[in-house]
Amino acid sequence: MKITDIRFGMLRVPLKTPFKTALRTVEVVEDVVVMIDTDDGRIGYGEAPATAVITGDTHGSIIDAIRHYIAPRLVGQDVSELNRITQLIQSSVEKNTSAKAAVEIAVYDLWGQLYGAPLYKLLGGGDPVITTDITISVDYIDKMVADSLRAVERGFESLKIKVGKDIGVDIERVKAIHAAVDGRALLRLDANQGWTAKQAVHALNTLESAGVKLELVEQPVKARDIEGMRYVTERVHTPVMADESVFGPLEVLDLIRMRAADIINIKLMKTGGISNAIRTADIAALHGVECMMGCMLETSISVSAAVHVAVAKSSVITRVDLDGPSLCLTNPVAGGVIFNESEISVTDAPGLGIREIHGLKEIHA
Ligand code: MG
């Protein structure tokens, strides 16, 4: 099975409710879809969102990096040479992790199709059912409490609460949600770099002494402030998870060496795809550090790939934050991973099992 062409499309899916973090507000998921054609007629699908404030990738940069740097190296390659292809992708251009991720996802999809097996089985197997949390956007306290209660009613047992705005209000937000859900859901906080190290320690100590038990706090400080992250990790009981501070295997090694965080959030858009997500998980596992599998605002094309990795690496990826598809108003993809609120299950369809993408607008060069 040889790669003959790489094509692009745009996929727009409205969100059920605006996605608000300390960094941005988004109302529509608008992602680049990558389609890799092969000489036997099969198509591999990948996807990448623009996350300018996190990875630096934009729609234009994703398409340009693939069209001019990655695609020319891949045309003519045999899909069975997976390691060679991922190496070609990773060395094609510096950074541009979302562009690399979109292409790798499509290549792994084809690799699964080539051998007629779902991707997670080729990655080592696992229990094909996982449970995700859901994001509660940062907002007025009453709105966040109402959103949290609605999520619990929908069956979500873990809530990822976005904070990181005004520290005093943040503490009140979390207290109010904790009181409202009353033990019916685990609470994960994501400050999205919104606090200083001292503010984070103050907020967490205040919450801890008020009896608010948190499963973890994510990225309390600026991405580059690894010292600050260590400062927080050393001083609070709540486990600290690194997100924007850690992209791939090299950052994970540094972070572990410094004992700067307790948990790592792996996202395909940060690692540059599946090959380095696996490396990152393996490095963490070697050091006894657990991981979360997360995603950006993505639909069920690229999130399916993350699901397959999470299933295959579930011994170290102990937490799942793959709520992209459940935040979307509709699911544009008919495929092999079934997203049903908090429960995600994988069928035995080969590769990612994507049969059809509704509303995809092809982009012509
Ligand atoms: Mg995060």
Side-chain angles (χ1 to χ4, degrees):
M1 188 197 278
K2 285 207 162 92
I3 294 172
T4 54
D5 195 12
I6 298 186
R7 292 176 292 126
F8 302 92
M10 283 299 293
L11 189 58
R12 274 177 63 93
V13 187
L15 291 169
K16 284 177 186 157
T17 180
F19 182 88
K20 297 182 190 171
T21 75
L23 295 174
R24 59 191 181 139
T25 296
V26 183
E27 296 188 3
V28 181
V29 175
E30 198 171 20
D31 289 3
V32 175
V33 174
V34 171
M35 289 157 280
I36 302 187
D37 293 319
T38 60
D39 59 358
D40 72 354
R42 278 183 271 203
I43 303 170
Y45 292 99
E47 171 190 359
T51 49
V53 293
I54 303 165
T55 64
D57 297 316
T58 63
H59 292 147
S61 76
I62 291 165
I63 293 169
D64 195 79
I66 297 173
R67 188 174 273 154
H68 298 296
Y69 296 87
I70 303 176
R73 303 180 126 203
L74 297 200
V75 171
Q77 295 294 327
D78 199 304
V79 172
S80 64
E81 298 284 326
L82 181 71
N83 290 346
R84 178 182 157 76
I85 294 177
T86 57
Q87 164 64 23
L88 285 171
I89 295 168
Q90 297 304 324
S91 61
S92 60
V93 50
E94 279 298 305
K95 305 188 190 291
N96 286 278
T97 50
S98 303
K100 291 171 183 169
V103 179
E104 271 209 4
I105 289 165
V107 170
Y108 274 82
D109 181 18
L110 287 169
W111 185 60
Q113 294 181 49
L114 175 65
Y115 295 113
L119 183 55
Y120 80 91
K121 287 199 175 172
L122 294 179
L123 297 179
D127 180 0
V129 183
I130 55 176
T131 306
T132 180
D133 61 14
I134 190 163
T135 301
I136 305 298
S137 284
V138 62
D139 217 309
Y140 300 109
I141 294 177
D142 291 351
K143 170 87 165 79
M144 291 182 77
V145 167
D147 287 348
S148 300
L149 288 171
R150 203 168 306 125
V152 170
E153 279 155 24
R154 284 165 65 189
F156 287 95
E157 290 170 356
S158 301
L159 307 180
K160 185 184 240 194
I161 303 163
K162 293 289 190 182
V163 289
K165 296 288 251 192
D166 174 292
I167 191 93
V169 185
D170 281 339
I171 293 169
E172 294 313 312
R173 285 182 169 107
V174 179
K175 279 185 181 170
I177 293 169
H178 180 261
V181 304
D182 190 27
R184 285 180 291 163
L186 287 175
L187 303 185
R188 302 168 172 172
L189 291 198
D190 189 354
N192 285 110
Q193 313 179 45
W195 295 334
T196 66
K198 286 194 176 196
Q199 283 177 326
V201 170
H202 164 69
L204 292 163
N205 284 342
T206 305
L207 289 167
E208 284 168 6
S209 43
V212 176
K213 198 164 162 20
L214 301 169
E215 190 195 358
L216 56 89
V217 61
E218 178 171 349
Q219 197 66 46
V221 299
K222 291 265 177 288
R224 286 171 184 272
D225 187 11
I226 307 296
E227 287 287 348
M229 184 103 74
R230 176 163 72 175
Y231 179 93
V232 179
T233 302
E234 281 171 349
R235 285 166 179 79
V236 302
H237 294 294
T238 305
V240 175
M241 181 166 73
D243 182 7
E244 291 95 318
S245 290
V246 177
F247 271 50
L250 293 174
E251 289 100 342
V252 166
L253 279 172
D254 288 344
L255 201 89
I256 289 172
R257 247 182 239 131
M258 286 184 66
R259 298 182 180 278
D262 305 294
I263 309 169
I264 310 292
N265 190 343
I266 299 175
K267 293 178 180 168
L268 299 183
M269 296 303 143
K270 295 187 299 174
T271 58
I274 294 171
S275 61
N276 274 334
I278 291 168
R279 280 188 193 102
T280 303
D282 287 344
I283 290 168
L286 274 173
H287 294 86
V289 171
E290 293 183 9
C291 299
M292 173 183 275
M293 179 59 81
C295 62
M296 306 293 187
L297 280 170
E298 302 162 43
T299 78
S300 46
I301 303 171
S302 48
V303 177
S304 288
V307 170
H308 281 269
V309 176
V311 165
K313 290 283 166 189
S314 63
S315 62
V316 57
I317 299 174
T318 53
R319 294 167 179 85
V320 175
D321 173 32
L322 296 175
D323 63 349
S326 47
L327 298 174
C328 290
L329 197 56
T330 56
N331 180 4
V333 182
V337 177
I338 296 156
F339 295 87
N340 181 19
E341 300 285 31
S342 64
E343 191 186 277
I344 303 173
S345 47
V346 189
T347 70
D348 270 351
L352 298 178
I354 293 165
R355 295 186 303 275
E356 203 180 349
I357 302 170
H358 301 286
L360 184 65
K361 291 214 164 58
E362 198 150 340
I363 301 168
H364 299 283

PDB file of all heavy atoms in Angstrom, residues 54 160 162 189-192 218-219 241-244 265 267 270 292 295 321, ligand 1:
ATOM      1  N   ILE A  54      -1.438  27.896  22.116  1.00  0.00           N
ATOM      2  CA  ILE A  54      -0.841  26.755  22.820  1.00  0.00           C
ATOM      3  C   ILE A  54       0.339  26.189  22.038  1.00  0.00           C
ATOM      4  O   ILE A  54       1.471  26.176  22.513  1.00  0.00           O
ATOM      5  CB  ILE A  54      -1.902  25.664  23.098  1.00  0.00           C
ATOM      6  CG1 ILE A  54      -3.062  26.270  23.912  1.00  0.00           C
ATOM      7  CG2 ILE A  54      -1.274  24.483  23.858  1.00  0.00           C
ATOM      8  CD1 ILE A  54      -4.305  25.421  23.945  1.00  0.00           C
ATOM      9  N   LYS A 160     -13.787  18.490  34.588  1.00  0.00           N
ATOM     10  CA  LYS A 160     -12.575  19.291  34.486  1.00  0.00           C
ATOM     11  C   LYS A 160     -12.991  20.752  34.513  1.00  0.00           C
ATOM     12  O   LYS A 160     -13.571  21.270  33.554  1.00  0.00           O
ATOM     13  CB  LYS A 160     -11.826  18.969  33.198  1.00  0.00           C
ATOM     14  CG  LYS A 160     -10.503  19.714  33.131  1.00  0.00           C
ATOM     15  CD  LYS A 160      -9.822  19.469  31.828  1.00  0.00           C
ATOM     16  CE  LYS A 160      -8.494  18.825  32.018  1.00  0.00           C
ATOM     17  NZ  LYS A 160      -7.689  18.882  30.783  1.00  0.00           N
ATOM     18  N   LYS A 162     -12.500  24.621  34.516  1.00  0.00           N
ATOM     19  CA  LYS A 162     -11.559  25.637  34.045  1.00  0.00           C
ATOM     20  C   LYS A 162     -11.558  26.814  35.024  1.00  0.00           C
ATOM     21  O   LYS A 162     -12.627  27.374  35.329  1.00  0.00           O
ATOM     22  CB  LYS A 162     -11.965  26.125  32.649  1.00  0.00           C
ATOM     23  CG  LYS A 162     -11.836  25.050  31.571  1.00  0.00           C
ATOM     24  CD  LYS A 162     -10.389  24.728  31.248  1.00  0.00           C
ATOM     25  CE  LYS A 162     -10.262  23.842  30.032  1.00  0.00           C
ATOM     26  NZ  LYS A 162      -8.848  23.486  29.748  1.00  0.00           N
ATOM     27  N   LEU A 189      -9.059  20.426  38.370  1.00  0.00           N
ATOM     28  CA  LEU A 189      -8.973  21.863  38.062  1.00  0.00           C
ATOM     29  C   LEU A 189      -7.969  22.072  36.944  1.00  0.00           C
ATOM     30  O   LEU A 189      -6.902  21.473  36.965  1.00  0.00           O
ATOM     31  CB  LEU A 189      -8.459  22.653  39.266  1.00  0.00           C
ATOM     32  CG  LEU A 189      -9.306  22.807  40.509  1.00  0.00           C
ATOM     33  CD1 LEU A 189      -8.764  23.976  41.323  1.00  0.00           C
ATOM     34  CD2 LEU A 189     -10.751  23.032  40.153  1.00  0.00           C
ATOM     35  N   ASP A 190      -8.297  22.940  35.994  1.00  0.00           N
ATOM     36  CA  ASP A 190      -7.329  23.314  34.970  1.00  0.00           C
ATOM     37  C   ASP A 190      -7.206  24.829  34.968  1.00  0.00           C
ATOM     38  O   ASP A 190      -8.129  25.532  34.562  1.00  0.00           O
ATOM     39  CB  ASP A 190      -7.780  22.809  33.591  1.00  0.00           C
ATOM     40  CG  ASP A 190      -6.696  22.989  32.535  1.00  0.00           C
ATOM     41  OD1 ASP A 190      -5.647  23.601  32.853  1.00  0.00           O
ATOM     42  OD2 ASP A 190      -6.887  22.526  31.396  1.00  0.00           O
ATOM     43  N   ALA A 191      -6.045  25.323  35.440  1.00  0.00           N
ATOM     44  CA  ALA A 191      -5.849  26.774  35.525  1.00  0.00           C
ATOM     45  C   ALA A 191      -5.304  27.361  34.233  1.00  0.00           C
ATOM     46  O   ALA A 191      -5.199  28.589  34.112  1.00  0.00           O
ATOM     47  CB  ALA A 191      -4.935  27.113  36.695  1.00  0.00           C
ATOM     48  N   ASN A 192      -4.940  26.527  33.263  1.00  0.00           N
ATOM     49  CA  ASN A 192      -4.441  27.009  31.973  1.00  0.00           C
ATOM     50  C   ASN A 192      -3.446  28.164  32.124  1.00  0.00           C
ATOM     51  O   ASN A 192      -3.594  29.205  31.483  1.00  0.00           O
ATOM     52  CB  ASN A 192      -5.592  27.422  31.048  1.00  0.00           C
ATOM     53  CG  ASN A 192      -6.322  26.220  30.466  1.00  0.00           C
ATOM     54  OD1 ASN A 192      -7.464  25.949  30.815  1.00  0.00           O
ATOM     55  ND2 ASN A 192      -5.667  25.468  29.603  1.00  0.00           N
ATOM     56  N   GLU A 218      -4.262  21.178  37.122  1.00  0.00           N
ATOM     57  CA  GLU A 218      -3.521  21.129  35.864  1.00  0.00           C
ATOM     58  C   GLU A 218      -2.943  22.492  35.517  1.00  0.00           C
ATOM     59  O   GLU A 218      -3.639  23.506  35.605  1.00  0.00           O
ATOM     60  CB  GLU A 218      -4.495  20.659  34.774  1.00  0.00           C
ATOM     61  CG  GLU A 218      -3.906  20.598  33.385  1.00  0.00           C
ATOM     62  CD  GLU A 218      -4.864  19.928  32.402  1.00  0.00           C
ATOM     63  OE1 GLU A 218      -5.867  19.332  32.844  1.00  0.00           O
ATOM     64  OE2 GLU A 218      -4.602  20.015  31.200  1.00  0.00           O
ATOM     65  N   GLN A 219      -1.693  22.483  35.124  1.00  0.00           N
ATOM     66  CA  GLN A 219      -0.983  23.653  34.610  1.00  0.00           C
ATOM     67  C   GLN A 219      -1.331  24.933  35.367  1.00  0.00           C
ATOM     68  O   GLN A 219      -1.869  25.879  34.786  1.00  0.00           O
ATOM     69  CB  GLN A 219      -1.279  23.829  33.114  1.00  0.00           C
ATOM     70  CG  GLN A 219      -0.287  24.754  32.424  1.00  0.00           C
ATOM     71  CD  GLN A 219       1.132  24.210  32.368  1.00  0.00           C
ATOM     72  OE1 GLN A 219       1.356  23.067  32.030  1.00  0.00           O
ATOM     73  NE2 GLN A 219       2.111  25.022  32.728  1.00  0.00           N
ATOM     74  N   MET A 241      -0.601  18.379  37.600  1.00  0.00           N
ATOM     75  CA  MET A 241      -0.422  17.825  36.254  1.00  0.00           C
ATOM     76  C   MET A 241       0.102  18.889  35.305  1.00  0.00           C
ATOM     77  O   MET A 241      -0.406  20.006  35.277  1.00  0.00           O
ATOM     78  CB  MET A 241      -1.744  17.264  35.714  1.00  0.00           C
ATOM     79  CG  MET A 241      -1.590  16.650  34.337  1.00  0.00           C
ATOM     80  SD  MET A 241      -3.014  15.638  33.880  1.00  0.00           S
ATOM     81  CE  MET A 241      -4.220  16.900  33.574  1.00  0.00           C
ATOM     82  N   ALA A 242       1.112  18.525  34.520  1.00  0.00           N
ATOM     83  CA  ALA A 242       1.667  19.445  33.527  1.00  0.00           C
ATOM     84  C   ALA A 242       0.954  19.247  32.198  1.00  0.00           C
ATOM     85  O   ALA A 242       0.786  18.119  31.740  1.00  0.00           O
ATOM     86  CB  ALA A 242       3.160  19.179  33.357  1.00  0.00           C
ATOM     87  N   ASP A 243       0.524  20.356  31.582  1.00  0.00           N
ATOM     88  CA  ASP A 243      -0.078  20.285  30.239  1.00  0.00           C
ATOM     89  C   ASP A 243       0.751  21.123  29.266  1.00  0.00           C
ATOM     90  O   ASP A 243       1.636  20.592  28.595  1.00  0.00           O
ATOM     91  CB  ASP A 243      -1.550  20.729  30.299  1.00  0.00           C
ATOM     92  CG  ASP A 243      -2.247  20.632  28.946  1.00  0.00           C
ATOM     93  OD1 ASP A 243      -1.642  20.095  27.999  1.00  0.00           O
ATOM     94  OD2 ASP A 243      -3.409  21.084  28.818  1.00  0.00           O
ATOM     95  N   GLU A 244       0.522  22.443  29.229  1.00  0.00           N
ATOM     96  CA  GLU A 244       1.233  23.273  28.251  1.00  0.00           C
ATOM     97  C   GLU A 244       2.758  23.265  28.446  1.00  0.00           C
ATOM     98  O   GLU A 244       3.500  23.605  27.522  1.00  0.00           O
ATOM     99  CB  GLU A 244       0.710  24.723  28.298  1.00  0.00           C
ATOM    100  CG  GLU A 244      -0.721  24.908  27.780  1.00  0.00           C
ATOM    101  CD  GLU A 244      -1.753  24.883  28.910  1.00  0.00           C
ATOM    102  OE1 GLU A 244      -1.630  24.025  29.829  1.00  0.00           O
ATOM    103  OE2 GLU A 244      -2.685  25.711  28.881  1.00  0.00           O
ATOM    104  N   ASN A 265      -0.019  15.418  31.066  1.00  0.00           N
ATOM    105  CA  ASN A 265      -1.138  15.400  30.127  1.00  0.00           C
ATOM    106  C   ASN A 265      -0.594  15.254  28.704  1.00  0.00           C
ATOM    107  O   ASN A 265       0.063  16.157  28.185  1.00  0.00           O
ATOM    108  CB  ASN A 265      -1.963  16.682  30.258  1.00  0.00           C
ATOM    109  CG  ASN A 265      -3.275  16.606  29.481  1.00  0.00           C
ATOM    110  OD1 ASN A 265      -3.444  15.753  28.614  1.00  0.00           O
ATOM    111  ND2 ASN A 265      -4.192  17.494  29.795  1.00  0.00           N
ATOM    112  N   LYS A 267      -1.102  15.034  24.749  1.00  0.00           N
ATOM    113  CA  LYS A 267      -2.047  15.355  23.668  1.00  0.00           C
ATOM    114  C   LYS A 267      -1.326  15.136  22.342  1.00  0.00           C
ATOM    115  O   LYS A 267      -0.184  15.588  22.185  1.00  0.00           O
ATOM    116  CB  LYS A 267      -2.510  16.812  23.757  1.00  0.00           C
ATOM    117  CG  LYS A 267      -3.359  17.107  24.979  1.00  0.00           C
ATOM    118  CD  LYS A 267      -3.752  18.575  25.056  1.00  0.00           C
ATOM    119  CE  LYS A 267      -4.594  18.818  26.302  1.00  0.00           C
ATOM    120  NZ  LYS A 267      -4.769  20.255  26.582  1.00  0.00           N
ATOM    121  N   LYS A 270       0.341  18.078  20.765  1.00  0.00           N
ATOM    122  CA  LYS A 270       1.593  18.570  21.360  1.00  0.00           C
ATOM    123  C   LYS A 270       2.758  17.646  21.022  1.00  0.00           C
ATOM    124  O   LYS A 270       3.870  18.105  20.782  1.00  0.00           O
ATOM    125  CB  LYS A 270       1.467  18.669  22.888  1.00  0.00           C
ATOM    126  CG  LYS A 270       0.465  19.690  23.384  1.00  0.00           C
ATOM    127  CD  LYS A 270       0.535  19.840  24.912  1.00  0.00           C
ATOM    128  CE  LYS A 270       0.220  18.542  25.624  1.00  0.00           C
ATOM    129  NZ  LYS A 270       0.412  18.616  27.070  1.00  0.00           N
ATOM    130  N   MET A 292      -2.409  11.505  31.684  1.00  0.00           N
ATOM    131  CA  MET A 292      -3.771  11.688  31.198  1.00  0.00           C
ATOM    132  C   MET A 292      -3.663  11.746  29.681  1.00  0.00           C
ATOM    133  O   MET A 292      -2.671  12.243  29.158  1.00  0.00           O
ATOM    134  CB  MET A 292      -4.351  12.999  31.730  1.00  0.00           C
ATOM    135  CG  MET A 292      -5.696  13.372  31.143  1.00  0.00           C
ATOM    136  SD  MET A 292      -6.294  14.968  31.753  1.00  0.00           S
ATOM    137  CE  MET A 292      -7.076  14.459  33.272  1.00  0.00           C
ATOM    138  N   CYS A 295      -7.057  16.183  24.746  1.00  0.00           N
ATOM    139  CA  CYS A 295      -7.184  16.624  23.363  1.00  0.00           C
ATOM    140  C   CYS A 295      -7.421  18.124  23.350  1.00  0.00           C
ATOM    141  O   CYS A 295      -7.675  18.725  24.381  1.00  0.00           O
ATOM    142  CB  CYS A 295      -8.329  15.905  22.649  1.00  0.00           C
ATOM    143  SG  CYS A 295      -9.967  16.195  23.368  1.00  0.00           S
ATOM    144  N   ASP A 321      -9.233  12.568  29.225  1.00  0.00           N
ATOM    145  CA  ASP A 321      -9.923  13.848  29.037  1.00  0.00           C
ATOM    146  C   ASP A 321     -10.120  14.024  27.535  1.00  0.00           C
ATOM    147  O   ASP A 321      -9.445  14.815  26.894  1.00  0.00           O
ATOM    148  CB  ASP A 321      -9.072  14.977  29.645  1.00  0.00           C
ATOM    149  CG  ASP A 321      -9.634  16.352  29.341  1.00  0.00           C
ATOM    150  OD1 ASP A 321     -10.861  16.479  29.229  1.00  0.00           O
ATOM    151  OD2 ASP A 321      -8.829  17.300  29.215  1.00  0.00           O
TER     152      ASP A 321
HETATM  153 MG    MG B   1      -5.155  21.745  30.019  1.00  0.00          MG
END
